[in-house]
Amino acid sequence: MRVLVPFDARDPKTRLAPALDADERRALAVAMLRDVLDALAATDADPEVLATDDVDCPAPVTVDDRSLTRAVNAALAEAAAPVAVVMADLALATPAALSRLFDADAEVVLAPGLGGGTNALVARHPDFRVDYHGCSYRDHREAAAAVGATVETVDSFRLAVDVDGRGDLAEVLVHTDGRAARRLRGAGFELVTDGRVTVSRRE
Amino acid sequence: MRVLVPFDARDPKTRLAPALDADERRALAVAMLRDVLDALAATDADPEVLATDDVDCPAPVTVDDRSLTRAVNAALAEAAAPVAVVMADLALATPAALSRLFDADAEVVLAPGLGGGTNALVARHPDFRVDYHGCSYRDHREAAAAVGATVETVDSFRLAVDVDGRGDLAEVLVHTDGRAARRLRGAGFELVTDGRVTVSRRE
């Protein structure tokens, strides 16, 4: 399966600004991208990174500085075969979770993210297009229905957690031991318990 | 499968205090409990509510005012057959997600919650005990290993979302149309888009 991995190479993860400076955010974003590519490498995926600028990673990189939605839709419009789109900040993604996504049969397969997003999808219908603005999980269900595509949802915690805010860092430390987790630990983050587990950072 | 559904009948959902008053929190908690019992009713589960005080719901209620951990461990110690424990605030739970939990083969099956919690589990090993304090997902993995039990994790977004804080209300509105969602809509909550989708409440 051809898999696009969109990546913001310029100013990634701005919502982590209270926790990490710009260089740290970029390094964490690249670490997560590489974790996602590692997980994809253990599936039958053929990944391509769709980045706003060049990035050093072990997959072909296409630079497209348009918005996420426009860049993905341009790729979908040109595609002659099924295409998956997997976000680059799914630090918890595993080969098993990704395989459930790829192996689902519907013409549009959606993996919802926390907060109404669409963290991963498979498009097998020629007329399906994305719109990542707003509550995209609902919008994508409606967009699939509007073109007559069958729709299926993959119920995965590991695909639902995209690392956007400080609270998400705890999920990385609890559930993974990849590059992103090691980078966070190296930067002084550790788990603290306060109802839900969160992170603290050593001074 | 025998399924315990622990429920705080006295002062539930205190972390929703900024969004809902005490009566509203209790009503939402009961609505979620009934949503969970509805989902369980469509599986092979035999549910019992383990509540800190009496509660009106369509399942047998055992009142046990000890802490969550103590009450569950007392039930596990007495059990002669496998027991599942499913939290009462899993408003997104579906029969399909719960069936994946019950059908997993390991002696201890864990469904992680956001923030390191354990939102649902199955205990088939006589010596496994719970401790819900702290990062219970990790602690339960270690506790299972310590008694020599095989462990499996169920990767489910719908079981990972427990409704604790205001941010979780958006998940209820995006992904469900049960009693809890109807109650939130009736109380004036609606989805708003601000990066991740969140909720606002009409004055």
Side-chain angles (χ1 to χ4, degrees), chain A:
Chain A
M1 167 106 49
R2 184 178 168 212
V3 181
L4 303 177
V5 184
F7 180 73
D8 177 0
R10 288 183 176 165
D11 189 16
K13 300 289 129 202
T14 50
R15 289 181 54 208
L16 286 171
L20 295 164
D21 71 29
D23 287 346
E24 291 172 325
R25 295 200 300 275
R26 189 181 152 84
L28 178 66
V30 172
M32 293 196 291
L33 168 65
R34 296 176 73 107
D35 283 342
V36 169
L37 292 173
D38 278 353
L40 286 167
T43 71
D44 63 356
D46 186 16
E48 306 168 28
V49 175
L50 189 61
T52 53
D53 207 339
D54 200 32
V55 56
D56 179 30
C57 69
V61 177
T62 300
V63 174
D64 186 332
D65 66 358
R66 288 177 289 184
S67 75
L68 172 64
T69 294
R70 286 188 172 207
V72 168
N73 280 338
L76 292 180
E78 288 170 8
V83 178
V85 184
V86 174
M87 293 301 153
D89 58 356
L90 305 189
L92 277 63
T94 56
L98 291 163
S99 294
R100 283 171 57 210
L101 175 78
F102 302 148
D103 293 346
D105 289 327
E107 290 170 306
V108 173
V109 186
L110 302 171
L114 290 168
T118 307
N119 282 357
L121 63 83
V122 176
R124 294 191 177 91
H125 190 289
D127 299 329
F128 177 76
R129 296 292 178 272
V130 298
D131 181 351
Y132 284 104
H133 183 73
C135 189
S136 71
Y137 172 69
R138 284 202 161 178
D139 295 343
H140 287 152
R141 289 188 70 93
E142 290 171 14
V147 299
T150 56
V151 185
E152 187 172 339
T153 295
V154 172
D155 175 27
S156 169
F157 167 62
R158 288 190 168 273
L159 300 182
V161 176
D162 49 329
V163 178
D164 269 340
R166 187 184 174 98
D168 306 319
L169 301 180
E171 306 300 342
V172 177
L173 293 181
V174 172
H175 293 285
T176 79
D177 199 26
R179 289 179 180 82
R182 294 195 296 273
R183 183 162 285 278
L184 288 172
R185 288 193 190 99
F189 286 92
E190 58 191 8
L191 294 171
V192 293
T193 297
D194 174 25
R196 284 189 184 174
V197 173
T198 58
V199 292
S200 74
R201 188 173 187 179
R202 294 189 302 274
E203 294 299 318

Side-chain angles (χ1 to χ4, degrees), chain A residues 115 138 155-156 171 173 197, chain B residues 115 138 155-156 162 171 173 197:
Chain A
R138 284 202 161 178
D155 175 27
S156 169
E171 306 300 342
L173 293 181
V197 173
Chain B
R138 283 201 162 178
D155 174 26
S156 169
D162 49 330
E171 307 300 341
L173 294 180
V197 173

Side-chain angles (χ1 to χ4, degrees), chain A residues 15 114-116 134-135 138, chain B residues 15-20 24 28 92 161 163-176 180-203:
Chain A
R15 289 181 54 208
L114 290 168
C135 189
R138 284 202 161 178
Chain B
R15 289 182 54 208
L16 286 170
L20 295 163
E24 291 173 324
L28 179 66
L92 277 63
V161 176
V163 179
D164 269 339
R166 187 184 173 98
D168 306 319
L169 301 180
E171 307 300 341
V172 178
L173 294 180
V174 171
H175 292 285
T176 79
R182 295 195 295 274
R183 182 162 285 278
L184 288 172
R185 288 193 189 99
F189 287 92
E190 57 191 10
L191 294 170
V192 293
T193 297
D194 174 26
R196 284 189 183 173
V197 173
T198 57
V199 293
S200 73
R201 187 174 188 179
R202 292 188 303 274
E203 294 298 319

Side-chain angles (χ1 to χ4, degrees), chain B residues 82-203:
Chain B
V83 178
V85 184
V86 174
M87 294 299 153
D89 60 354
L90 305 189
L92 277 63
T94 56
L98 291 163
S99 294
R100 284 170 58 210
L101 175 79
F102 302 147
D103 293 347
D105 289 327
E107 289 170 305
V108 173
V109 185
L110 302 172
L114 290 168
T118 307
N119 283 356
L121 62 83
V122 176
R124 295 191 177 92
H125 190 289
D127 299 329
F128 177 75
R129 296 294 178 269
V130 299
D131 181 351
Y132 283 104
H133 183 76
C135 189
S136 71
Y137 171 69
R138 283 201 162 178
D139 295 344
H140 287 153
R141 289 188 70 92
E142 289 171 15
V147 297
T150 57
V151 185
E152 186 172 338
T153 294
V154 173
D155 174 26
S156 169
F157 167 62
R158 288 188 168 274
L159 299 182
V161 176
D162 49 330
V163 179
D164 269 339
R166 187 184 173 98
D168 306 319
L169 301 180
E171 307 300 341
V172 178
L173 294 180
V174 171
H175 292 285
T176 79
D177 199 26
R179 290 179 179 84
R182 295 195 295 274
R183 182 162 285 278
L184 288 172
R185 288 193 189 99
F189 287 92
E190 57 191 10
L191 294 170
V192 293
T193 297
D194 174 26
R196 284 189 183 173
V197 173
T198 57
V199 293
S200 73
R201 187 174 188 179
R202 292 188 303 274
E203 294 298 319

